[in-house]
Amino acid sequence: MKKFDFSKINFNIAGKSGGETFENTEFRRIIEKREVFRDRDTGAKEEIINKSIRIISSSLAARKNFITLVPMKSLSFEDFSFPFSNATKIREALRLQVMPFSAAGELEIFPVVVSKAGRGVEGVVWYVSPEELEIPAVPGGNNKVWPAPLPFISKLKNYGGSGVTMWIDEENICSILWQQNKPILSRWRRVSNGAHEKELAWYENYCKARELDRGGNFILNAGGDYDPEPDEEFIEMITESVKICPWLSNVNLSKKAIEGERDLARTVQLMTRAACWLLALGTITLATSFLNLINIDRQAEKIQTRSENFYRQNFDPQHTGRISNPVTLARNKISEISGVGNDGHPLEEVLADMGEIFTNDKNLKITLDTIRYNGEGVDCTGSAPDMTTVLNFRRAWNDYASTVQVDNTQFVAGIGYRFDLRVRW
């Protein structure tokens, strides 16, 4: 059995390329202390397990990340493949798969995606008993929990990623069987004389029966006390493992991780319900608005039809087809017949006002090409030698009308500025 050496004290591995370098990371392990108490009344014995932390390797710099290696008795895992990639859906699908076995006890589910293909994903789901997640964490730190034999796959590199990685401490022997850098089996047993040889013999028989590649072995004896200082060889081994299996950095079998997943799923579910209610409310509002729009269009169509019929009957019986603005046309017809605008401006008065404007300003060199009179006012089209004259002509009309506007002003060589003047009473 190989006794791993934790005595080296060099942590400078930042120059490693690819994957995590675990700089500013503290690696820890769990120490279980069993205390037996006897009930004073019944005399029954009661065993209490207290968990404490022992540092394996710690950086000299400020520590922000904490990874705890835990020998888990109930750990198991299996592959999964789904045609979708939504994390909540993956978790629910896996929970449905293990529901028939829930009578044996509660299990926490930790899915880890290994690869993606189109919309689908493949990965490994980790099952563990909730009792094993009661692990002391550093407040405010980035805490992760890994199964103890997990980060040593790099030591099976010469065997094609197949074989057994084994963790031994004061009370536990736990191991993982790998096939081509993929974990397929996890085992645990209590430490005893020759226990690890028996475990390796069991794996020999298991691989032979299942026709699996037995590969090699890597055994790490983590028992004993070590100085909480950086160990370069230990860090490099884990860094190489993550480089070989990048999905390792996503493994976190901690209570905080599962609670975060549940909170996220609960938030997504709540937001989905709220979105459904808002969608339903928006659909109802849209449908109501659409029906109101249809009703308004029908009423407007009826009013338009009545107005067209009225204009056709009273002013233009020969007119065929649609009439775009019958009210304006009717008002113009009345003004043309009476010679008076809609607020009492007869054509003679308008011409008199225009003559007065030219009389008052002898320098107003304006040429009017077209004058159009209707019930709303006067429209003039003309030309002037410069823009100032056009503006003076517009200002002169301000004393005779409520609204005066100059439109379509443009310079024409040899003529000057052409313009349209709109006068409204």
Side-chain angles (χ1 to χ4, degrees):
M1 181 176 61
K2 179 177 180 179
K3 179 74 173 181
F4 200 85
D5 182 11
F6 290 100
S7 61
K8 300 178 182 179
I9 50 174
N10 182 6
F11 191 71
N12 183 17
I13 58 168
K16 295 283 180 183
S17 60
E20 274 188 73
T21 59
F22 299 101
E23 195 172 25
N24 302 327
T25 301
E26 178 180 283
F27 287 90
R28 314 185 301 169
R29 68 184 183 97
I30 292 292
I31 300 295
E32 294 183 353
K33 294 183 179 179
R34 302 174 183 272
E35 298 182 9
V36 179
F37 297 90
R38 187 180 297 275
D39 191 285
R40 294 182 179 179
D41 298 328
T42 63
K45 292 183 178 180
E46 181 179 357
E47 185 181 70
I48 297 179
I49 300 177
N50 294 319
K51 295 182 179 180
S52 60
I53 294 295
R54 184 166 294 175
I55 299 175
I56 299 177
S57 178
S58 182
S59 67
L60 295 175
R63 291 161 292 173
K64 299 180 180 179
N65 304 308
F66 300 87
I67 298 179
T68 306
L69 303 181
V70 181
M72 296 182 175
K73 303 178 180 66
S74 62
L75 177 66
S76 63
F77 38 76
E78 63 178 353
D79 297 340
F80 68 82
S81 178
F82 295 116
F84 46 80
S85 59
N86 181 273
T88 303
K89 290 183 178 180
I90 291 174
R91 180 174 292 278
E92 290 302 319
L94 294 171
R95 191 170 295 279
L96 289 175
Q97 289 183 1
V98 300
M99 188 175 293
F101 310 102
S102 59
E106 186 179 356
L107 286 176
E108 297 294 359
I109 299 174
F110 298 85
V112 176
V113 174
V114 176
S115 63
K116 293 184 178 181
R119 295 185 178 180
V121 295
E122 295 181 355
V124 179
V125 56
W126 309 72
Y127 303 106
V128 66
S129 173
E131 287 77 10
E132 298 201 63
L133 301 181
E134 300 296 334
I135 299 171
V138 178
N142 181 20
N143 294 273
K144 286 185 178 181
V145 174
W146 284 356
L150 181 68
F152 311 131
I153 180 58
S154 60
K155 289 301 180 178
L156 301 180
K157 185 176 180 180
N158 294 333
Y159 303 94
S162 298
V164 176
T165 55
M166 183 176 292
W167 167 282
I168 301 176
D169 60 23
E170 292 83 354
E171 295 190 2
N172 307 280
I173 297 178
C174 54
S175 55
I176 293 178
L177 176 63
W178 300 78
Q179 291 292 293
Q180 297 178 357
N181 297 320
K182 181 182 294 185
I184 64 170
L185 180 66
S186 175
R187 284 175 58 83
W188 174 91
R189 67 184 301 167
R190 194 175 298 279
V191 167
S192 61
N193 290 332
H196 74 278
E197 288 93 346
K198 294 179 182 179
E199 279 294 285
L200 295 178
W202 186 94
Y203 278 115
E204 291 283 351
N205 295 330
Y206 179 83
C207 292
K208 185 180 298 183
R210 294 297 182 94
E211 297 182 352
L212 299 175
D213 183 7
R214 177 60 182 83
N217 299 320
F218 176 74
I219 302 174
L220 188 146
N221 188 348
D225 295 327
Y226 299 96
D227 295 330
E229 296 178 339
D231 185 274
E232 181 182 10
E233 186 177 354
F234 181 78
I235 298 298
E236 286 183 350
M237 175 176 60
I238 297 180
T239 302
E240 183 68 18
S241 295
V242 175
K243 190 185 300 182
I244 295 172
C245 300
W247 52 267
L248 284 178
S249 60
N250 296 325
V251 176
N252 186 9
L253 311 188
S254 68
K255 190 173 182 180
K256 183 178 180 181
I258 193 65
E259 289 175 351
E261 290 284 347
R262 288 172 177 169
D263 292 343
L264 178 61
R266 195 177 299 115
T267 302
V268 170
Q269 186 177 17
L270 180 62
M271 294 181 66
T272 301
R273 289 181 179 177
C276 290
W277 278 108
L278 291 174
L279 179 61
L281 181 61
T283 302
I284 294 173
T285 304
L286 180 61
T288 303
S289 301
F290 182 70
L291 293 176
N292 289 337
L293 179 61
I294 293 176
N295 186 43
I296 292 172
D297 286 343
R298 289 177 178 175
Q299 293 180 2
E301 183 68 22
K302 290 179 180 179
I303 295 173
Q304 177 74 11
T305 302
R306 287 200 300 267
S307 300
E308 291 179 7
N309 292 335
F310 179 81
Y311 175 81
R312 190 177 287 109
Q313 292 173 5
N314 293 276
F315 298 102
D316 194 357
Q318 304 301 322
H319 194 285
T320 58
R322 299 303 302 270
I323 303 174
S324 61
N325 198 339
V327 176
T328 302
L329 293 176
R331 187 169 56 190
N332 292 342
K333 286 287 186 180
I334 295 172
S335 298
E336 291 174 1
I337 295 172
S338 61
V340 178
N342 60 353
D343 64 345
H345 281 77
L347 180 58
E348 295 81 359
E349 183 177 332
V350 173
L351 295 175
D353 292 341
M354 187 176 298
E356 187 173 346
I357 289 173
F358 281 97
T359 302
N360 292 337
D361 190 350
K362 302 295 184 179
N363 297 323
L364 197 60
K365 297 180 180 180
I366 295 290
T367 301
L368 298 178
D369 301 326
T370 305
I371 300 176
R372 294 180 296 276
Y373 170 82
N374 55 39
E376 296 181 354
V378 178
D379 294 333
C380 302
T381 300
S383 61
D386 50 52
M387 194 61 192
T388 302
T389 304
V390 176
L391 297 176
N392 290 337
F393 186 54
R394 181 185 65 80
R395 282 194 290 268
W397 275 102
N398 288 336
D399 296 334
Y400 303 94
S402 60
T403 302
V404 183
Q405 184 177 354
V406 174
D407 296 324
N408 301 326
T409 304
Q410 59 181 345
F411 179 77
V412 180
I415 297 176
Y417 284 87
R418 292 191 59 81
F419 64 90
D420 291 336
L421 182 72
R422 300 176 68 249
V423 180
R424 296 295 180 262
W425 313 127

